[in-house]
């Protein structure tokens, strides 16, 4: 969904924002796993898989986000953090 005034619909992350957010959560988890069990082969494989499969796209998305002007970033943050009424949230509060 796109809103003509601001781009992505209020409260929804665009593709680049989603990609970077997912990667951030994954990498924080992998970092914690490496600290907890530094020689776990499954953790290393998960990190290798991320680097081979997703890292280039995530870095491209991060570049797009970092190129946004400061005022656009501030507006986007305000949009994503504004309270949502129950009516806007499908009746959920």
């Amino acid at each position: 969904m796109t809103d003509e005034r601001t781009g992505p619909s209020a409260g929804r992350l665009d593709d680049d924002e989603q990609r970077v957010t997912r990667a951030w959560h994954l990498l924080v988890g992998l970092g914690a796993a490496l600290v907890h069990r530094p020689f776990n082969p499954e953790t290393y494989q998960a990190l290798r898989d991320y680097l081979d499969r997703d890292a280039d796209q995530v870095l491209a998305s991060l570049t797009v986000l970092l190129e946004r002007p400061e005022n656009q970033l501030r507006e986007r943050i305000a949009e994503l953090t504004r309270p949502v009424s129950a009516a806007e949230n499908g009746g959920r509060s």
Side-chain angles (χ1 to χ4, degrees):
M1 283 198 227
T2 300
D3 180 288
E4 292 177 4
R5 293 175 291 117
T6 59
S9 296
R12 299 190 194 279
L13 299 177
D14 66 29
D15 290 343
D16 292 312
E17 294 164 344
Q18 286 180 22
R19 191 172 294 115
V20 170
T21 300
R22 279 193 310 267
W24 185 83
H25 286 282
L26 173 69
L27 292 171
V28 166
L30 288 173
L34 287 168
V35 169
H36 180 68
R37 293 187 61 206
F39 301 106
N40 183 328
E42 292 172 2
T43 303
Y44 278 96
Q45 189 58 52
L47 181 56
R48 283 187 197 101
D49 291 345
Y50 163 78
L51 292 171
D52 291 342
R53 185 182 56 239
D54 300 324
D56 289 338
Q57 272 192 317
V58 171
L59 290 173
S61 289
L62 182 59
T63 298
V64 167
L65 296 179
L66 292 173
E67 289 175 351
R68 291 181 181 175
E70 181 180 348
N71 66 328
Q72 184 183 4
L73 292 171
R74 290 183 184 279
E75 289 172 8
R76 188 71 177 124
I77 291 167
E79 177 184 335
L80 290 169
T81 58
R82 77 172 170 79
V84 177
S85 70
E88 292 175 300
N89 199 23
R92 297 180 302 265
S93 50

